[in-house]
Coordinates of all heavy atoms in Angstrom, one line a residue:
M10 N -4.0 -16.6 13.6 CA -4.3 -15.3 14.1 C -2.9 -14.6 14.2 O -2.0 -15.3 14.6 CB -5.0 -15.3 15.4 CG -6.4 -15.9 15.1 SD -7.4 -15.6 16.6 CE -8.0 -14.0 16.4
E11 N -2.9 -13.3 14.0 CA -1.6 -12.7 14.1 C -1.8 -11.3 14.6 O -2.8 -10.5 14.3 CB -1.2 -12.5 12.5 CG 0.3 -12.4 12.2 CD 1.2 -13.5 12.6 OE1 1.0 -14.6 12.4 OE2 2.2 -13.1 13.2
A12 N -0.8 -10.8 15.5 CA -0.9 -9.4 15.9 C -0.6 -8.5 14.8 O 0.1 -8.9 13.8 CB 0.2 -9.3 17.1
K13 N -1.1 -7.3 14.9 CA -1.0 -6.4 13.7 C 0.6 -6.1 13.5 O 1.0 -5.9 12.3 CB -1.5 -5.0 14.0 CG -3.0 -4.9 13.7 CD -3.5 -3.5 13.9 CE -4.9 -3.4 13.5 NZ -5.4 -2.0 13.4
D14 N 1.4 -6.1 14.5 CA 2.9 -5.9 14.3 C 3.7 -7.1 14.1 O 4.8 -7.1 14.5 CB 3.3 -5.0 15.5 CG 3.3 -5.9 16.8 OD1 2.9 -7.0 16.9 OD2 3.7 -5.3 17.8
P15 N 3.0 -8.3 13.8 CA 3.6 -9.6 13.7 C 4.4 -10.1 14.9 O 5.3 -11.0 14.7 CB 4.3 -9.7 12.3 CG 4.1 -8.6 11.5 CD 3.5 -7.5 12.5
S16 N 4.3 -9.5 16.0 CA 5.0 -9.9 17.3 C 4.6 -11.2 17.7 O 5.3 -11.9 18.5 CB 4.9 -8.9 18.3 OG 3.5 -8.7 18.8
M17 N 3.4 -11.7 17.4 CA 2.8 -12.9 18.0 C 1.8 -13.4 17.0 O 1.1 -12.6 16.4 CB 2.2 -12.6 19.4 CG 1.7 -13.8 20.0 SD 0.9 -13.3 21.6 CE -0.2 -14.8 21.8
G18 N 1.7 -14.7 17.0 CA 0.7 -15.3 16.1 C 0.5 -16.8 16.3 O 1.4 -17.4 17.0
F19 N -0.6 -17.4 15.9 CA -0.8 -18.8 16.1 C -1.8 -19.3 15.1 O -2.5 -18.5 14.6 CB -1.3 -19.1 17.6 CG -2.5 -18.3 18.0 CD1 -3.8 -18.9 17.8 CD2 -2.3 -17.1 18.6 CE1 -4.8 -18.1 18.2 CE2 -3.4 -16.4 19.0 CZ -4.7 -16.9 18.9
D20 N -1.8 -20.5 14.9 CA -2.9 -21.2 13.9 C -4.2 -21.4 14.8 O -4.1 -21.6 16.0 CB -2.3 -22.6 13.4 CG -1.2 -22.4 12.5 OD1 -1.1 -21.4 11.9 OD2 -0.5 -23.4 12.4
F21 N -5.2 -21.2 14.1 CA -6.6 -21.2 14.7 C -7.4 -22.0 13.7 O -7.8 -21.5 12.7 CB -7.0 -19.8 15.0 CG -8.2 -19.8 15.8 CD1 -8.2 -19.9 17.2 CD2 -9.5 -19.6 15.3 CE1 -9.3 -19.7 18.1 CE2 -10.6 -19.4 16.0 CZ -10.4 -19.5 17.5
E22 N -7.8 -23.2 14.0 CA -8.6 -23.9 13.1 C -9.8 -24.6 13.9 O -9.7 -24.9 15.1 CB -7.9 -25.1 12.6 CG -6.8 -24.7 11.5 CD -6.0 -25.9 11.0 OE1 -6.7 -27.0 10.7 OE2 -4.7 -25.9 10.9
G23 N -11.0 -24.7 13.1 CA -12.1 -25.3 13.8 C -13.1 -25.8 12.7 O -13.0 -25.5 11.5
V24 N -14.1 -26.3 13.2 CA -15.2 -26.8 12.3 C -16.5 -26.3 12.8 O -16.9 -26.5 14.0 CB -15.3 -28.4 12.3 CG1 -16.4 -28.8 11.5 CG2 -14.0 -29.0 11.7
Y25 N -17.3 -25.6 12.0 CA -18.6 -25.0 12.4 C -19.5 -26.2 12.6 O -19.7 -27.1 11.7 CB -19.2 -24.1 11.4 CG -18.4 -22.8 11.2 CD1 -17.5 -22.5 10.2 CD2 -18.6 -21.8 12.1 CE1 -16.9 -21.3 10.1 CE2 -17.9 -20.5 12.1 CZ -17.0 -20.3 11.1 OH -16.3 -19.2 11.0
E26 N -20.3 -26.2 13.7 CA -21.2 -27.3 14.0 C -22.6 -26.8 13.9 O -23.4 -27.6 13.6 CB -20.9 -27.8 15.4 CG -19.5 -28.5 15.6 CD -19.3 -29.1 16.9 OE1 -19.7 -28.4 18.0 OE2 -18.8 -30.1 16.9
E27 N -22.8 -25.5 14.1 CA -24.2 -25.1 14.1 C -24.1 -23.5 13.8 O -23.3 -22.8 14.4 CB -24.8 -25.2 15.5 CG -26.4 -24.9 15.4 CD -27.0 -25.4 16.7 OE1 -26.4 -25.9 17.7 OE2 -28.2 -24.9 16.9
V28 N -24.8 -23.1 12.8 CA -25.0 -21.7 12.4 C -26.4 -21.4 12.2 O -27.1 -22.0 11.6 CB -24.2 -21.4 11.1 CG1 -24.4 -19.9 10.8 CG2 -22.8 -21.6 11.3
E29 N -26.9 -20.4 13.0 CA -28.3 -20.0 12.9 C -28.2 -18.4 12.6 O -27.8 -17.7 13.5 CB -29.1 -20.2 14.2 CG -29.3 -21.7 14.5 CD -30.0 -21.9 15.8 OE1 -30.9 -21.0 16.2 OE2 -29.9 -22.9 16.4
E30 N -28.7 -18.0 11.5 CA -28.5 -16.7 11.0 C -29.1 -15.7 12.0 O -30.2 -15.9 12.6 CB -29.3 -16.4 9.6 CG -29.1 -15.2 9.0 CD -29.6 -15.0 7.7 OE1 -30.1 -16.0 7.1 OE2 -29.4 -13.9 7.1
N31 N -28.3 -14.8 12.4 CA -28.5 -13.7 13.4 C -28.7 -14.1 14.7 O -29.1 -13.4 15.7 CB -29.7 -12.8 12.9 CG -29.5 -12.2 11.6 OD1 -28.4 -11.7 11.2 ND2 -30.6 -12.2 10.8
E32 N -28.4 -15.4 15.0 CA -28.6 -15.9 16.4 C -27.5 -16.7 17.1 O -27.1 -16.5 18.1 CB -29.9 -16.8 16.4 CG -31.1 -16.1 16.1 CD -32.4 -17.1 16.2 OE1 -32.3 -18.0 16.9 OE2 -33.4 -16.7 15.7
L33 N -26.9 -17.5 16.3 CA -25.8 -18.4 16.8 C -24.8 -18.9 15.9 O -25.0 -19.1 14.8 CB -26.5 -19.7 17.3 CG -25.8 -20.9 18.0 CD1 -25.2 -20.5 19.3 CD2 -26.6 -22.1 18.0
I34 N -23.5 -19.0 16.4 CA -22.5 -19.6 15.7 C -21.9 -20.5 16.8 O -21.4 -20.1 17.9 CB -21.3 -18.6 15.2 CG1 -21.9 -17.7 14.2 CG2 -20.2 -19.4 14.6 CD1 -21.0 -16.6 13.9
Q35 N -21.6 -21.8 16.4 CA -21.0 -22.8 17.4 C -20.0 -23.6 16.5 O -20.3 -24.0 15.4 CB -22.1 -23.6 18.0 CG -21.4 -24.6 19.0 CD -22.5 -25.4 19.8 OE1 -23.3 -24.8 20.5 NE2 -22.5 -26.7 19.6
Y36 N -18.8 -23.7 17.2 CA -17.8 -24.4 16.4 C -16.9 -25.2 17.4 O -16.8 -24.9 18.6 CB -17.0 -23.5 15.5 CG -16.3 -22.4 16.1 CD1 -14.9 -22.5 16.5 CD2 -16.8 -21.1 16.3 CE1 -14.3 -21.3 17.1 CE2 -16.2 -20.1 16.9 CZ -14.9 -20.1 17.2 OH -14.3 -19.1 17.7
R37 N -16.2 -26.3 16.8 CA -15.4 -27.1 17.6 C -13.9 -26.8 17.1 O -13.7 -26.9 15.9 CB -15.8 -28.5 17.4 CG -14.8 -29.4 18.1 CD -15.4 -31.0 17.9 NE -15.9 -31.3 16.6 CZ -15.2 -31.5 15.5 NH1 -13.9 -31.6 15.5 NH2 -15.9 -31.8 14.4
L38 N -13.0 -26.5 18.0 CA -11.6 -26.3 17.6 C -11.0 -27.6 17.4 O -11.4 -28.7 17.7 CB -10.9 -25.5 18.7 CG -11.5 -24.2 19.0 CD1 -10.9 -23.5 20.3 CD2 -11.3 -23.2 17.8
E39 N -9.8 -27.6 16.7 CA -9.1 -28.8 16.4 C -8.7 -29.6 17.6 O -8.6 -30.9 17.5 CB -7.9 -28.6 15.4 CG -6.8 -27.8 16.1 CD -5.7 -27.5 15.1 OE1 -5.4 -28.3 14.3 OE2 -5.0 -26.6 15.3
D40 N -8.6 -29.0 18.7 CA -8.3 -29.8 20.0 C -9.5 -30.2 20.7 O -9.5 -30.6 21.9 CB -7.4 -29.0 20.9 CG -7.9 -27.7 21.4 OD1 -9.1 -27.4 21.1 OD2 -7.2 -27.0 22.1
E41 N -10.6 -30.1 20.1 CA -12.0 -30.6 20.5 C -12.6 -29.6 21.6 O -13.7 -29.9 22.0 CB -11.9 -32.0 21.2 CG -11.5 -33.0 20.2 CD -12.3 -33.1 19.1 OE1 -13.6 -33.1 19.2 OE2 -11.9 -33.5 17.9
R42 N -12.0 -28.5 21.8 CA -12.7 -27.4 22.6 C -13.9 -26.9 21.8 O -13.8 -26.7 20.6 CB -11.7 -26.4 23.1 CG -10.7 -26.9 24.1 CD -9.8 -25.8 24.6 NE -9.0 -25.2 23.5 CZ -8.9 -24.0 23.2 NH1 -9.5 -23.1 23.9 NH2 -8.1 -23.6 22.1
R43 N -14.9 -26.4 22.5 CA -16.0 -25.8 21.7 C -16.1 -24.3 22.1 O -15.7 -23.9 23.2 CB -17.3 -26.5 22.1 CG -17.4 -27.9 21.5 CD -18.6 -28.4 21.5 NE -18.9 -29.5 20.6 CZ -18.3 -30.7 20.6 NH1 -17.6 -31.1 21.5 NH2 -18.6 -31.6 19.6
V44 N -16.6 -23.6 21.1 CA -16.9 -22.2 21.3 C -18.3 -21.9 20.8 O -18.8 -22.4 19.8 CB -16.0 -21.3 20.5 CG1 -16.3 -19.8 20.6 CG2 -14.4 -21.6 20.8
R45 N -19.1 -21.1 21.5 CA -20.5 -20.8 21.3 C -20.7 -19.3 21.3 O -20.5 -18.6 22.5 CB -21.4 -21.6 22.3 CG -22.9 -21.3 22.0 CD -23.7 -22.0 23.0 NE -25.2 -21.7 22.9 CZ -26.0 -22.4 22.1 NH1 -25.6 -23.5 21.5 NH2 -27.3 -22.1 21.9
I46 N -21.2 -18.8 20.2 CA -21.4 -17.3 20.3 C -22.8 -17.1 19.9 O -23.4 -17.6 18.9 CB -20.5 -16.6 19.1 CG1 -19.1 -17.0 19.3 CG2 -20.6 -15.1 19.2 CD1 -18.2 -16.7 18.1
S47 N -23.5 -16.3 20.8 CA -24.9 -16.1 20.5 C -25.1 -14.6 20.4 O -24.4 -13.7 21.0 CB -25.8 -16.5 21.8 OG -25.4 -15.9 23.0
F48 N -26.1 -14.2 19.6 CA -26.5 -12.8 19.3 C -28.0 -12.7 19.6 O -28.8 -13.3 19.3 CB -26.3 -12.5 17.7 CG -24.9 -12.9 17.2 CD1 -24.6 -14.2 16.9 CD2 -23.9 -12.0 17.1 CE1 -23.3 -14.5 16.4 CE2 -22.7 -12.2 16.7 CZ -22.4 -13.6 16.3
A49 N -28.2 -11.5 20.5 CA -29.6 -11.3 20.9 C -29.8 -9.9 20.7 O -29.1 -9.0 21.1 CB -29.8 -11.7 22.3
L50 N -30.8 -9.5 20.0 CA -31.3 -8.2 19.8 C -32.0 -7.6 21.1 O -32.7 -8.1 21.7 CB -32.3 -8.1 18.6 CG -32.6 -6.8 18.1 CD1 -31.4 -6.0 17.5 CD2 -33.8 -6.8 16.9
E51 N -31.4 -6.4 21.4 CA -31.8 -5.7 22.7 C -32.1 -4.3 22.3 O -31.1 -3.3 22.2 CB -30.8 -5.8 23.8 CG -30.6 -7.2 24.3 CD -29.7 -7.3 25.5 OE1 -29.1 -6.3 25.9 OE2 -29.8 -8.4 26.1
G52 N -33.3 -3.9 21.8 CA -33.6 -2.6 21.3 C -32.9 -2.4 20.0 O -33.1 -3.3 19.1
D53 N -32.1 -1.4 19.9 CA -31.5 -1.2 18.6 C -30.0 -1.6 18.7 O -29.2 -1.3 17.9 CB -31.5 0.4 18.3 CG -30.7 1.3 19.3 OD1 -30.4 0.7 20.5 OD2 -30.5 2.4 19.1
Q54 N -29.6 -2.5 19.6 CA -28.2 -3.1 19.7 C -28.4 -4.5 19.8 O -29.4 -5.1 20.0 CB -27.6 -2.5 21.1 CG -27.4 -1.0 21.1 CD -26.7 -0.6 22.4 OE1 -26.5 -1.3 23.4 NE2 -26.1 0.7 22.3
T55 N -27.1 -5.1 19.6 CA -27.0 -6.5 19.6 C -26.1 -6.9 20.8 O -24.9 -6.5 20.8 CB -26.5 -7.2 18.3 OG1 -27.4 -6.7 17.2 CG2 -26.4 -8.7 18.4
K56 N -26.5 -7.8 21.6 CA -25.8 -8.3 22.7 C -25.1 -9.7 22.1 O -25.8 -10.5 21.6 CB -26.6 -8.8 23.9 CG -25.9 -9.3 25.1 CD -26.7 -9.6 26.3 CE -25.8 -10.1 27.5 NZ -26.7 -10.4 28.5
V57 N -23.8 -9.7 22.2 CA -23.0 -10.8 21.8 C -22.5 -11.5 23.1 O -21.8 -10.9 23.8 CB -21.8 -10.4 20.9 CG1 -21.0 -11.7 20.3 CG2 -22.4 -9.6 19.6
V58 N -22.7 -12.8 23.2 CA -22.1 -13.6 24.2 C -21.4 -14.8 23.7 O -21.9 -15.5 22.8 CB -23.3 -14.2 25.2 CG1 -22.7 -15.0 26.3 CG2 -24.2 -13.0 25.8
E59 N -20.1 -14.8 24.2 CA -19.2 -16.0 23.6 C -18.8 -16.8 25.0 O -18.4 -16.3 25.9 CB -17.9 -15.3 23.1 CG -17.1 -16.2 22.5 CD -15.9 -15.6 21.8 OE1 -15.3 -14.7 22.2 OE2 -15.8 -16.0 20.6
V60 N -19.0 -18.1 24.7 CA -18.7 -19.0 25.8 C -17.7 -19.9 25.2 O -17.9 -20.5 24.1 CB -20.0 -19.8 26.3 CG1 -19.5 -20.8 27.3 CG2 -21.0 -18.8 26.9
F61 N -16.6 -20.3 25.9 CA -15.5 -21.1 25.3 C -15.0 -22.1 26.3 O -15.0 -21.9 27.5 CB -14.4 -20.3 24.8 CG -13.7 -19.4 25.8 CD1 -12.5 -20.0 26.3 CD2 -14.1 -18.2 26.2 CE1 -11.8 -19.3 27.4 CE2 -13.4 -17.6 27.2 CZ -12.2 -18.0 27.7
D62 N -14.6 -23.3 25.8 CA -13.9 -24.2 26.7 C -12.4 -23.8 26.7 O -11.7 -23.5 25.8 CB -13.9 -25.6 26.0 CG -15.2 -26.2 26.1 OD1 -16.2 -25.9 26.8 OD2 -15.4 -27.2 25.2
A63 N -11.9 -23.5 28.0 CA -10.6 -23.0 28.1 C -9.5 -24.1 27.9 O -9.9 -25.4 28.1 CB -10.4 -22.6 29.6
E64 N -8.4 -23.7 27.5 CA -7.3 -24.7 27.2 C -6.5 -24.8 28.6 O -6.8 -23.9 29.4 CB -6.5 -24.4 26.0 CG -6.2 -23.0 25.8 CD -4.8 -22.7 26.4 OE1 -4.2 -23.5 27.1 OE2 -4.3 -21.6 26.1
S65 N -5.6 -25.8 28.7 CA -4.9 -25.9 29.9 C -3.5 -25.3 30.0 O -2.8 -25.3 31.1 CB -4.8 -27.4 30.3 OG -4.1 -28.1 29.2
M66 N -3.0 -24.7 29.0 CA -1.6 -24.2 28.9 C -1.6 -22.8 29.5 O -0.5 -22.4 29.9 CB -1.1 -24.2 27.5 CG -1.0 -25.6 27.0 SD -0.3 -25.6 25.2 CE 1.3 -24.9 25.5
N67 N -2.6 -22.0 29.4 CA -2.6 -20.6 29.9 C -3.6 -20.3 31.0 O -4.7 -21.0 30.9 CB -2.8 -19.7 28.6 CG -1.7 -19.8 27.6 OD1 -0.5 -19.4 27.9 ND2 -2.0 -20.3 26.5
P68 N -3.4 -19.4 31.7 CA -4.4 -19.0 32.8 C -5.7 -18.7 32.1 O -5.8 -18.0 31.1 CB -3.8 -17.8 33.6 CG -2.4 -17.8 33.2 CD -2.3 -18.4 31.9
V69 N -6.9 -19.0 32.7 CA -8.2 -18.7 32.2 C -8.4 -17.2 32.1 O -8.9 -16.8 31.0 CB -9.2 -19.4 33.1 CG1 -10.6 -18.9 32.7 CG2 -9.2 -20.9 33.2
E70 N -8.0 -16.4 33.0 CA -8.2 -15.0 32.9 C -7.5 -14.4 31.7 O -7.9 -13.6 30.9 CB -7.7 -14.3 34.1 CG -7.9 -12.7 34.1 CD -9.3 -12.3 33.8 OE1 -10.3 -13.2 34.1 OE2 -9.6 -11.2 33.4
M71 N -6.3 -15.0 31.3 CA -5.5 -14.5 30.1 C -6.3 -14.8 28.9 O -6.4 -14.1 27.8 CB -4.1 -15.2 30.0 CG -3.3 -14.7 28.9 SD -1.6 -15.4 29.1 CE -1.6 -16.4 27.6
Q72 N -6.9 -16.1 28.8 CA -7.7 -16.5 27.7 C -9.0 -15.6 27.6 O -9.3 -15.3 26.5 CB -8.1 -18.0 27.9 CG -6.9 -18.9 27.8 CD -7.3 -20.3 28.2 OE1 -8.1 -21.0 27.3 NE2 -6.8 -21.0 29.3
R73 N -9.5 -15.4 28.7 CA -10.8 -14.5 28.7 C -10.4 -13.2 28.1 O -11.2 -12.6 27.3 CB -11.4 -14.3 30.1 CG -12.8 -13.7 30.1 CD -13.2 -13.1 31.4 NE -12.3 -12.0 31.9 CZ -12.3 -10.8 31.3 NH1 -13.2 -10.6 30.4 NH2 -11.5 -9.9 31.8
Q74 N -9.3 -12.7 28.5 CA -8.9 -11.2 28.0 C -8.6 -11.4 26.5 O -9.0 -10.4 25.8 CB -7.6 -10.8 28.7 CG -8.0 -10.5 30.1 CD -6.6 -10.0 30.9 OE1 -5.5 -10.2 30.4 NE2 -6.8 -9.8 32.2
G75 N -8.0 -12.4 26.0 CA -7.8 -12.6 24.7 C -9.1 -12.7 23.8 O -9.3 -12.0 22.8
W76 N -10.1 -13.5 24.3 CA -11.4 -13.6 23.6 C -12.1 -12.2 23.7 O -12.7 -11.8 22.7 CB -12.2 -14.7 24.3 CG -11.8 -16.0 23.9 CD1 -11.1 -16.9 24.7 CD2 -12.0 -16.7 22.6 NE1 -11.0 -18.1 24.0 CE2 -11.5 -18.1 22.8 CE3 -12.6 -16.5 21.4 CZ2 -11.5 -19.1 21.8 CZ3 -12.7 -17.4 20.5 CH2 -12.1 -18.7 20.6
Q77 N -12.0 -11.5 24.8 CA -12.7 -10.3 24.9 C -12.0 -9.2 23.8 O -12.7 -8.5 23.3 CB -12.5 -9.6 26.4 CG -13.2 -8.4 26.6 CD -14.8 -8.5 26.3 OE1 -15.4 -9.3 26.9 NE2 -15.4 -7.8 25.4
A78 N -10.7 -9.3 23.7 CA -10.0 -8.5 22.7 C -10.6 -8.7 21.3 O -10.8 -7.8 20.5 CB -8.6 -8.6 22.8
I79 N -10.8 -9.9 20.9 CA -11.3 -10.3 19.7 C -12.8 -9.7 19.6 O -13.1 -9.1 18.5 CB -11.5 -11.8 19.5 CG1 -9.9 -12.4 19.4 CG2 -12.3 -12.2 18.3 CD1 -10.0 -13.9 19.5
L80 N -13.6 -9.8 20.6 CA -15.0 -9.2 20.5 C -14.9 -7.7 20.5 O -15.7 -7.1 19.8 CB -15.7 -9.6 21.8 CG -16.2 -11.1 21.9 CD1 -16.8 -11.4 23.1 CD2 -17.2 -11.4 20.7
D81 N -14.0 -7.0 21.2 CA -13.8 -5.6 21.2 C -13.4 -5.1 19.7 O -14.0 -4.2 19.2 CB -12.8 -5.2 22.1 CG -13.2 -5.3 23.6 OD1 -14.4 -5.5 23.8 OD2 -12.3 -5.2 24.4
N82 N -12.5 -5.9 19.1 CA -12.2 -5.5 17.7 C -13.3 -5.7 16.8 O -13.5 -4.9 15.9 CB -11.0 -6.4 17.2 CG -9.7 -5.8 17.8 OD1 -9.5 -4.7 18.1 ND2 -8.7 -6.9 17.9
F83 N -14.1 -6.8 16.9 CA -15.3 -7.1 16.1 C -16.4 -5.9 16.2 O -16.9 -5.4 15.3 CB -16.0 -8.4 16.6 CG -17.2 -8.6 15.8 CD1 -17.3 -8.9 14.4 CD2 -18.5 -8.4 16.5 CE1 -18.5 -9.1 13.8 CE2 -19.6 -8.7 15.8 CZ -19.7 -8.9 14.5
T84 N -16.5 -5.4 17.5 CA -17.4 -4.2 17.8 C -16.9 -3.0 17.0 O -17.7 -2.4 16.3 CB -17.4 -4.0 19.3 OG1 -18.0 -5.1 19.9 CG2 -18.3 -2.8 19.6
R85 N -15.6 -2.8 17.0 CA -15.1 -1.5 16.3 C -15.4 -1.8 14.9 O -15.8 -0.9 14.1 CB -13.7 -1.3 16.6 CG -13.4 -0.8 17.9 CD -12.1 -0.2 18.2 NE -11.1 -1.3 18.3 CZ -10.9 -2.0 19.4 NH1 -11.5 -1.7 20.5 NH2 -10.0 -3.0 19.5
Y86 N -15.1 -3.0 14.3 CA -15.3 -3.2 12.9 C -16.8 -3.1 12.5 O -17.1 -2.5 11.5 CB -14.9 -4.6 12.6 CG -15.1 -5.1 11.2 CD1 -14.3 -4.7 10.1 CD2 -16.2 -5.9 10.9 CE1 -14.6 -5.1 8.8 CE2 -16.5 -6.4 9.7 CZ -15.7 -6.0 8.6 OH -16.0 -6.3 7.3
A87 N -17.6 -3.7 13.3 CA -19.1 -3.7 13.1 C -19.6 -2.2 13.0 O -20.5 -1.9 12.4 CB -19.9 -4.4 14.0
N88 N -19.0 -1.4 13.8 CA -19.4 0.1 14.0 C -18.7 1.0 12.9 O -18.8 2.1 13.1 CB -19.2 0.6 15.4 CG -20.2 -0.1 16.4 OD1 -21.4 -0.3 16.1 ND2 -19.7 -0.3 17.6
G89 N -18.0 0.4 12.1 CA -17.3 1.1 11.0 C -16.1 1.8 11.3 O -15.7 2.7 10.8
K90 N -15.4 1.3 12.5 CA -14.2 2.0 12.9 C -13.0 1.0 12.6 O -13.2 -0.2 12.6 CB -14.2 2.3 14.4 CG -15.3 3.3 14.7 CD -15.5 3.5 16.2 CE -16.7 4.5 16.5 NZ -17.1 4.4 17.7
S91 N -11.9 1.6 12.3 CA -10.8 0.7 12.0 C -10.3 -0.1 13.2 O -10.4 0.4 14.3 CB -9.5 1.5 11.3 OG -9.1 2.4 12.2
V92 N -9.8 -1.3 13.0 CA -9.3 -2.1 14.1 C -7.7 -2.2 14.1 O -7.1 -2.1 13.1 CB -9.9 -3.5 14.1 CG1 -11.3 -3.3 14.6 CG2 -9.8 -4.1 12.9

């Protein structure tokens, strides 16, 4: 993953463990942490919930903000807006 202005970046690898079309993506990162993303239709919108195992090097709130930024960019992309 890389910032748009290449000021920051890091490798991000994992293995998909479970994929259910339009419902779930679950994967395991190379350090054995897990991420689970669920999709639920709510009227004409989709609720996306992401649950992740935090790592120990950075504060949990900082990690949450990073994952939220990824979801925010995905929302803009899915709605046809540039990210």
